[in-house]
Amino acid sequence: MRTVFLLAALLMTSGFPASAQQDNRASEADRRAMLDRLHIADTRPGADGFNPTAPNAANYDEAKTGSYTLPELMRLSDGTPVTSPELWQRRRAEIVELFDREVYGRVPATAPAITWRTVKEERATEAGMPVVKRWLEGVADNKAWPQASARIALRYTMPADAKVKLPLILSFGFPEGFKFPGPPRAPDPGPPYTDQLLQAGFGYAVVVANSIQADNGAGLANGVIGISLRGKPRTPDDWGVLRAWAWGASRALDALGRDPAIDAGRVGVEGLSRYGKAALVTMAYDQRFAIGFIGSSGAGGAALYRRNFGERIGNLAAGGEYHWFAGNFLNYAGPRTEFDLPVDAHMLIALAAPRPIFIGAGTVETGDGWVDPKGSFLAAVAASPAWEVLLGNPGKIERTDFPPVLTATLRGPIGFRQHQGGHNNRDNWPTFIDFARAKLAAVRR
């Protein structure tokens, strides 16, 4: 399973050097240059997810996860307890600053303006109903640095002739026609998630993550990051690719909000794996998104860094993933460790409060142990005090003990469910849609 996703990651890069080997060399040169700027010789190896007898083999044993103390969520930097919505807003700003500086990087003032145009529009039938489909392109203003460019691909579908504004779920995804490598995959059981959304009264949209920013270090001189850098190398707190993808989702929301058929106050964001990380970062930074569906996001997303289970911070700092983060993040896989991080995943999840959020994953036994499903649930529990301060008793998480597989936790504002389908969101879409319908009903326009 993991091999398939690593190979898919190589094939997802587009518009940059044709050879993956060239990309790898350029990425490693960029990574080495950042390490030099940080005065770090190298980062620690991550977990080996392929060889269970390796000295650094990935741990999937709960007895070996280690002990840890999480950074304080509900206390200001001066020690004041956070006991009110007003104090939470101050704490929220402090947490955002920490993630900006140490993890995901800052969006610079030179980030390009995006001009949207409709490329194509057609009427069709999906899920047994008439729909309107639109393809949009967001062109990044690169007049300040023409050597770089970005054209954000966004497509969306809405039920036709609806009498009221409808909610919509925006997913991070791939270009139309993209196929995972390897033998043909069996068709998904049941209707596709897009049909499920339409039948539930939602529209759906896909923003192509790689059209915002390529998923490799070689591409940092291009895309929206390249335009913003204007030929200069990244500084240690400049934005990484996850932050760029989240920023691109916000620009997509700008465009979607102009369609009178869409209720801009009820747009959610969804993603799986690295795109699950991006969806969570999007929820954290852009409070206009009404709900999030965070699937199998693992380390760098909803899973706790301090828990020794599956992927480790050394993996995130290696050549295939370092570009997702600010340069400063590499410090924590070098002279410092995850225990020195001033933040952890519970603080990222808490930035979504008071909005509802659904976190899901597969099971260790069915191939999703790398993303540490339990670590994501524990992070959600540790994040829940933010909802309690903002919402009172309705903000309480439904349960604090790890739910059995296939048991959905939906009554509170933080939903969670482990399915048995491996590394996918497919098996959790029906549950998420039920969660979203219930939670967004309160904000219907």
Side-chain angles (χ1 to χ4, degrees):
M1 174 70 74
R2 180 155 164 73
T3 303
V4 170
F5 283 92
L6 288 172
L7 183 55
L10 290 175
L11 298 182
M12 283 192 288
T13 56
S14 60
F16 299 102
S19 162
Q21 218 170 19
Q22 285 178 308
D23 279 347
N24 290 342
R25 284 197 296 267
S27 293
E28 187 54 27
D30 179 80
R31 179 177 172 275
R32 292 295 336 168
M34 180 59 77
L35 291 172
D36 289 344
R37 284 192 283 280
L38 295 168
H39 308 291
I40 299 173
D42 208 345
T43 55
R44 296 187 306 281
D48 188 331
F50 299 102
N51 181 7
T53 64
N56 62 327
N59 175 53
Y60 298 116
D61 183 348
E62 279 295 324
K64 298 178 181 177
T65 56
S67 59
Y68 53 85
T69 301
L70 294 178
E72 283 276 4
L73 172 66
M74 304 303 287
R75 193 173 294 274
L76 295 176
S77 58
D78 65 6
T80 303
V82 175
T83 56
S84 69
E86 294 74 23
L87 286 171
W88 169 250
Q89 290 308 314
R90 287 174 55 189
R91 182 57 178 151
R92 189 183 195 285
E94 291 178 348
I95 294 170
V96 166
E97 166 59 22
L98 291 172
F99 277 108
D100 274 354
R101 189 183 70 221
E102 304 296 334
V103 184
Y104 300 112
R106 305 180 193 281
V107 176
T110 51
I114 304 295
T115 301
W116 290 97
R117 68 185 185 95
T118 301
V119 176
K120 185 171 69 170
E121 179 178 325
E122 66 180 38
R123 286 187 170 261
T125 299
E126 287 187 19
M129 67 179 69
V131 297
V132 178
K133 304 174 71 67
R134 293 187 177 89
W135 290 258
L136 274 59
E137 182 180 67
V139 180
D141 181 355
N142 66 345
K143 290 191 291 293
W145 190 252
Q147 293 89 328
S149 63
R151 293 176 178 269
I152 302 175
L154 171 66
R155 58 187 186 271
Y156 71 98
T157 299
M158 295 294 295
D161 309 319
K163 304 302 182 186
V164 295
K165 290 175 178 280
L166 295 179
L168 174 142
I169 304 298
L170 171 67
S171 295
F172 286 99
F174 308 104
E176 281 190 294
F178 172 83
K179 295 186 184 302
F180 283 100
R185 306 173 84 186
D188 290 347
Y193 83 92
T194 53
D195 282 11
Q196 294 177 53
L197 283 169
L198 291 169
Q199 289 165 355
F202 288 78
Y204 69 87
V206 174
V207 62
V208 177
N210 273 26
S211 68
I212 304 165
Q213 187 63 44
D215 190 6
N216 57 45
L220 291 171
N222 207 338
V224 298
I225 292 178
I227 294 170
S228 73
L229 292 175
R230 300 180 181 179
K232 299 175 183 176
R234 283 197 304 163
T235 63
D237 66 347
D238 272 328
W239 53 343
V241 171
L242 287 172
R243 188 70 183 89
W245 286 344
W247 178 90
S250 294
R251 304 291 72 76
L253 179 56
D254 295 341
L256 293 167
R258 298 185 189 118
D259 188 327
I262 296 172
D263 184 345
R266 292 192 293 155
V267 174
V269 62
E270 177 268 344
L272 170 72
S273 196
R274 66 196 61 199
Y275 295 161
K277 301 181 204 295
L280 182 53
V281 174
T282 302
M283 280 292 288
Y285 278 94
D286 191 337
Q287 296 180 79
R288 296 178 300 165
F289 283 94
I291 195 167
F293 178 7
I294 315 303
S296 299
S297 62
L304 293 170
Y305 292 107
R306 285 164 168 79
R307 235 176 81 89
N308 176 23
F309 199 99
E311 187 173 25
R312 305 295 288 139
I313 203 164
N315 301 97
L316 301 177
E321 300 179 9
Y322 82 97
H323 55 277
W324 294 345
F325 303 94
N328 279 333
F329 185 70
L330 302 183
N331 278 308
Y332 300 97
R336 290 183 273 179
T337 75
E338 51 268 50
F339 296 95
D340 298 309
L341 263 173
V343 293
D344 212 316
H346 67 305
M347 300 166 82
L348 183 67
I349 295 170
L351 294 180
R355 296 160 293 157
I357 190 166
F358 180 91
I359 297 171
T363 65
V364 175
E365 296 74 18
T366 55
D368 224 14
W370 186 252
V371 303
D372 189 10
K374 186 172 182 178
S376 293
F377 177 77
L378 294 175
V381 171
S384 61
W387 275 268
E388 292 182 48
V389 160
L390 293 169
L391 299 176
N393 191 63
K396 286 188 179 295
I397 193 166
E398 181 178 336
R399 61 190 300 165
T400 58
D401 60 313
F402 191 43
V405 176
L406 303 182
T407 300
T409 300
L410 302 177
R411 285 202 295 270
I414 305 174
F416 182 86
R417 182 177 183 267
Q418 253 193 309
H419 60 75
Q420 292 180 308
H423 195 69
N424 74 61
N425 273 352
R426 175 198 67 209
D427 292 75
N428 266 343
W429 268 109
T431 306
F432 167 72
I433 290 171
D434 288 345
F435 180 76
R437 290 179 73 181
K439 301 304 179 186
L440 295 184
V443 291
R444 186 183 302 276
R445 288 185 175 183

